[in-house]
Amino acid sequence: MYNNFSFLNIISGLSKTLNIANQMIPLYKQVKPIIANSNKVLSNLPKIKPTKNNINNSKITTKPNTPIKPSNVPTFFQ
């Protein structure tokens, strides 16, 4: 009788677990400071007030009668 918990199945499961851990540990190390400082960021959100954008409403000028080149025709000499 063969058991579902064979040595090869255990080794395969351990290998998959270690591969996942090797991927998650660097991710955790990168995200840990963000999570640690999230309390400070969230406490400062009510202090931020929206401001009006200082956009200059100037007109964009273009050259009159500018010829438009067709995009599907190759240009060999310019």
Side-chain angles (χ1 to χ4, degrees), residues 10-36:
I10 292 171
I11 297 295
S12 174
L14 284 174
S15 175
K16 290 177 184 178
T17 303
L18 289 174
N19 283 334
I20 291 172
N22 284 334
Q23 292 174 0
M24 294 304 291
I25 289 171
L27 180 65
Y28 171 75
K29 287 182 179 180
Q30 290 177 354
V31 173
K32 185 178 176 182
I34 297 171
I35 294 171

